[in-house]
């Protein structure tokens, strides 16, 4: 049947739109005669007036000029920097609706990337966090010699000093650093530290990093906090070693922030925008912090990987442990084990756990963590799973009863997936921070494994990120 659909709208056009659903990257979807329009900060149920700022062949992107009728799912964002910062794209969405949107995104991934039918697979409601603000145990702020102003700051008409900023950069653009006076992701002391360190640095005349010229002294301020222990690390990343300045900073921190338990200085003289560097000097305190997950205590160095939401990590690991249905004689493989947190968390219920991890330092941390917690039935192996995970590895360590994997965002290498299919341990738990690559990997295994349960866990309120745990059983 012929339709009399209008041609797609043009760039610059202003339209009235009804928002249907959430889409990727904090956008929401509306349609005009079937043509997709992705609306920044839209919420399903909104009626908005929006202006198209980008037009592609198959879709356009628009920003809201006016909310004509707000969705019932809207709420007031807490942060002044909400629209510009983009760190928390969903602060304007009620938390329950965020959780449901994440559950649906897992369903979408299983259907579209995995080819699974929702008739056979049920995705459980997302396990939400009790604390939806101040939940991160680590924040990395950047210094910049070119401050990026928010539209609200520009609208004040005031003259801003734009050659010093300490804050977060606009997503995907390290050149645009906002000078943040508030951020509700870490603790209240973390907010005060950002403001205090900025004031001191400016008063002392220390130069912030110039990202284009690759010069300047101050590069990053990383704050790590033990959620359960109260330990607090300040890590100042600088271009070059300047002991006198570090003594000035140490004296300031000790006088003004008695909460700080350790202060370290990372030296990064390279051009890469990273808080890692070629050396780490401990200026005061032990140089590490501790945090606990369940009954276990973990040592966290300035550059060690540790889940950034401690309370929800504990829930995530509890889900994985539950799904693994552990038995006293089990041999468990924990692949992509990082600093051994999951291995250690499961070890007391089984005979032995073998953890495998690429990064040597993380493996050293895993061994130390096991030893400090009196966990004796773990073995940690360093190496790239793609090369390491072969029949001879299984001959050496024994055939596993349970396999737990927790790969990075890219998912598993196909060779690792193939090896899992061949080895086919009875129970298999796949923890993932990217449901799309997870679904892709699981599709390759759908002939040999059936999905038993799917449980999303929210570690990152106000963002689209979700951790998803899938429990599988070998077929036949
Ligand atoms: N399970 C851990 C860490 C998961 S993060 C926790 O919850 O704390 C994923 C880990 O996979 C990282 O530590 C990363 O270094 C490791 N990794 C990435 N590619 C790898 C590979 N090819 N082989 C082995 N480990 C890898």
């Amino acid at each position: 049947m012929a339709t009399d659909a209008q041609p797609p709208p043009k760039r610059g056009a202003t339209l009235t739109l009804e928002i249907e659903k959430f889409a990727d990257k904090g956008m929401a979807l509306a349609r005009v005669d079937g043509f997709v329009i992705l609306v920044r900060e839209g919420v399903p149920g909104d009626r908005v007036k929006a202006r198209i700022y980008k037009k592609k062949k198959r879709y356009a992107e628009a920003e809201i000029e006016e909310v004509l009728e707000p969705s019932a799912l809207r709420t007031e964002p807490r942060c002044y920097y909400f629209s510009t910062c983009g760190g928390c794209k969903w602060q304007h969405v009620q938390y329950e609706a965020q959780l449901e949107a994440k559950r649906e995104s897992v369903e979408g991934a299983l259907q579209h990337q995995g080819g699974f039918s929702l008739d056979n697979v049920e995705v459980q409601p997302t396990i939400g966090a009790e604390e939806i603000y101040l939940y991160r145990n680590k924040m990395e702020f950047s210094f910049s010699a070119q401050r990026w102003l928010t539209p609200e700051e520009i609208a004040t008409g005031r003259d801003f000093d734009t050659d010093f900023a300490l804050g977060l950069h606009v997503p995907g653009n390290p050149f645009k650093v906002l000078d943040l006076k508030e951020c509700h992701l870490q603790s209240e002391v973390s907010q005060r530290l950002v403001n205090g360190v900025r004031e001191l640095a400016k008063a002392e005349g220390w130069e912030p990093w110039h990202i284009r010229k690759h010069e300047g002294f101050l590069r990053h301020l990383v704050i790590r906090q033990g959620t359960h222990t109260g330990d607090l690390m300040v890590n100042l990343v600088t271009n070059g070693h300047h002991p006198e300045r570090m003594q000035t900073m140490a004296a300031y921190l000790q006088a003004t922030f008695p909460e700080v338990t350790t202060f370290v200085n990372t030296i990064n003289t390279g051009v890469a925008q990273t808080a890692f560097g070629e050396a780490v000097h401990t200026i005061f305190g032990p140089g590490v912090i501790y945090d606990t997950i369940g009954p276990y205590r973990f040592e966290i160095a300035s550059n060690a990987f540790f889940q950034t939401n401690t309370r929800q990590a504990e829930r995530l690991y509890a889900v994985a442990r539950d799904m693994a249905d552990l038995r006293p004689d089990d041999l468990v493989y924990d692949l992509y084990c990082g600093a051994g947190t999951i291995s250690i968390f499961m070890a007391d219920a089984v005979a032995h756990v073998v953890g495998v991890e690429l990064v040597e330092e993380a493996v050293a941390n895993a061994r130390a963590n096991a030893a400090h917690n009196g966990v004796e039935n773990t073995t940690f192996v360093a190496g790239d799973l793609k090369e390491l995970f072969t029949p001879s590895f299984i001959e050496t360590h024994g055939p596993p009863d349970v396999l737990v994997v927790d790969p990075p965002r890219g998912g598993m290498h196909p060779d690792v997936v193939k090896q899992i299919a061949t080895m086919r341990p009875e129970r298999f738990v796949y923890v993932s921070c990217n449901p799309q690559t997870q679904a892709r990997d699981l599709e390759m295994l759908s002939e040999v494994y059936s999905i038993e349960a799917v449980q999303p866990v929210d570690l990152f309120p106000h963002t689209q990120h979700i951790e998803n745990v899938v429990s599988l059983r070998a077929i036949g």
Side-chain angles (χ1 to χ4, degrees):
M1 199 175 76
T3 63
D4 53 1
Q6 304 291 315
K10 293 201 169 63
R11 188 161 172 265
T14 300
L15 310 163
T16 299
L17 300 169
E18 317 267 340
I19 308 290
E20 287 176 28
K21 59 179 184 179
F22 289 115
D24 284 349
K25 303 193 171 92
M27 307 292 270
L29 185 144
R31 275 182 255 244
V32 175
D33 286 327
F35 186 78
V36 168
I37 302 185
L38 299 172
V39 183
R40 267 192 72 187
E41 291 173 31
V43 178
D46 276 347
R47 208 160 71 84
V48 299
K49 201 166 100 186
R51 193 184 57 82
I52 295 187
Y53 62 85
K54 187 195 272 183
K55 166 77 178 38
K56 297 269 186 187
K57 209 164 171 189
R58 298 175 56 186
Y59 70 94
E61 290 182 18
E63 59 192 0
I64 296 177
E65 288 193 333
E66 192 187 344
V67 178
L68 302 169
E69 273 168 43
S71 159
L73 307 180
R74 275 187 177 264
T75 187
E76 227 11 75
R78 180 180 287 195
C79 187
Y80 171 80
Y81 301 94
F82 164 65
S83 275
T84 319
C85 171
C88 305
K89 287 208 175 77
W90 276 350
Q91 270 194 26
H92 65 315
V93 180
Q94 284 178 13
Y95 190 52
E96 286 305 314
Q98 295 181 23
L99 295 176
E100 177 54 15
K102 293 186 189 199
R103 195 192 69 81
E104 286 169 14
S105 75
V106 170
E107 282 188 344
L110 287 168
Q111 277 180 296
H112 303 124
Q113 277 78 31
F116 294 97
S117 158
L118 296 180
D119 295 341
N120 312 322
V121 181
E122 190 185 347
V123 180
Q124 294 301 311
T126 306
I127 297 177
E130 265 131 50
E131 329 244 343
I132 61 168
Y133 284 103
L134 313 185
Y135 61 80
R136 285 183 67 96
N137 58 35
K138 178 185 176 190
M139 282 300 285
E140 188 177 311
F141 301 96
S142 302
F143 291 92
S144 171
Q146 295 164 291
R147 172 174 169 186
W148 185 254
L149 296 173
T150 67
E152 295 79 12
E153 284 165 344
I154 293 167
T156 62
R158 274 177 46 207
D159 227 4
F160 287 94
D161 160 18
T162 54
D163 51 17
F164 193 112
L166 172 58
L168 295 173
H169 61 72
V170 175
N173 196 336
F175 291 90
K176 300 180 177 176
V177 177
L178 297 167
D179 198 50
L180 286 192
K181 304 291 186 321
E182 61 176 87
C183 171
H184 304 275
L185 284 176
Q186 206 170 22
S187 62
E188 173 275 333
V189 65
S190 158
Q191 301 190 29
R192 281 193 288 121
L193 268 166
V194 170
N195 293 325
V197 167
R198 177 194 300 111
E199 245 173 70
L200 178 80
K202 281 176 126 174
E204 294 288 329
W206 301 341
E207 324 75 47
W209 182 246
H210 195 296
I211 190 170
R212 284 174 215 272
K213 296 184 187 156
H214 301 142
E215 57 188 38
F217 178 63
L218 297 167
R219 301 195 62 170
H220 299 281
L221 171 68
V222 188
I223 301 173
R224 295 193 93 154
Q225 240 176 331
T227 300
H228 297 294
T229 57
D231 288 356
L232 181 57
M233 173 190 288
V234 169
N235 173 12
L236 197 63
V237 183
T238 58
N239 173 32
H241 189 37
H242 209 311
E244 267 170 42
R245 289 181 173 183
M246 291 310 110
Q247 285 314 318
T248 305
M249 177 62 80
Y252 169 75
L253 290 175
Q254 285 178 315
T256 320
F257 293 96
E259 301 93 331
V260 175
T261 52
T262 190
F263 170 36
V264 304
N265 175 211
T266 301
I267 312 297
N268 174 11
T269 57
V271 295
Q273 268 295 89
T274 161
F276 292 96
E278 57 262 26
V280 181
H281 303 282
T282 298
I283 312 296
F284 68 73
V288 295
I289 60 162
Y290 294 88
D291 206 355
T292 60
I293 291 190
Y296 305 103
R297 193 172 145 90
F298 294 92
E299 182 182 294
I300 306 164
S302 59
N303 52 8
F305 177 86
F306 191 73
Q307 289 284 1
T308 51
N309 183 336
T310 307
R311 288 197 177 87
Q312 288 300 92
E314 182 163 346
R315 287 183 156 165
L316 178 74
Y317 296 161
V319 167
R321 183 182 156 127
D322 224 42
M323 284 182 173
D325 189 19
L326 303 172
R327 297 161 204 174
D329 292 335
D330 280 344
L331 171 63
V332 178
Y333 278 12
D334 174 16
L335 308 185
Y336 310 88
C337 71
T341 30
I342 294 180
S343 305
I344 291 167
F345 197 76
M346 292 190 174
D348 71 318
V350 300
H352 202 86
V353 186
V354 177
V356 186
E357 162 61 42
L358 180 66
V359 177
E360 300 263 358
E361 289 94 338
V363 172
N365 290 339
R367 290 185 185 129
N369 281 327
H372 293 150
N373 284 292
V375 174
E376 287 170 354
N377 56 338
T378 51
T379 306
F380 293 101
V381 184
D384 186 338
L385 275 157
K386 180 164 81 76
E387 270 106 51
L388 203 68
F389 200 46
T390 61
S392 95
F393 183 90
I394 289 143
E395 238 168 71
T396 310
H397 296 280
D401 304 287
V402 181
L403 184 69
V404 180
V405 304
D406 183 7
R409 293 194 66 73
M412 293 193 278
H413 190 279
D415 292 351
V416 178
V417 180
K418 277 187 205 128
Q419 176 64 358
I420 292 174
T422 316
M423 195 174 58
R424 212 193 301 185
E426 182 202 348
R427 282 157 281 153
F428 173 27
V429 178
Y430 191 148
V431 182
S432 168
C433 55
N434 183 344
Q436 302 194 332
T437 54
Q438 181 185 41
R440 175 204 70 197
D441 292 348
L442 291 180
E443 195 209 352
M444 292 171 64
L445 293 167
S446 59
E447 309 249 298
V448 286
Y449 278 102
S450 61
I451 294 181
E452 294 253 297
V454 183
Q455 179 63 69
V457 182
D458 188 23
L459 270 66
F460 309 104
H462 313 303
T463 76
Q464 299 76 56
H465 295 291
I466 183 71
E467 293 281 328
N468 189 44
V469 196
V470 178
S471 155
L472 302 112
R473 292 292 178 276
I475 297 168

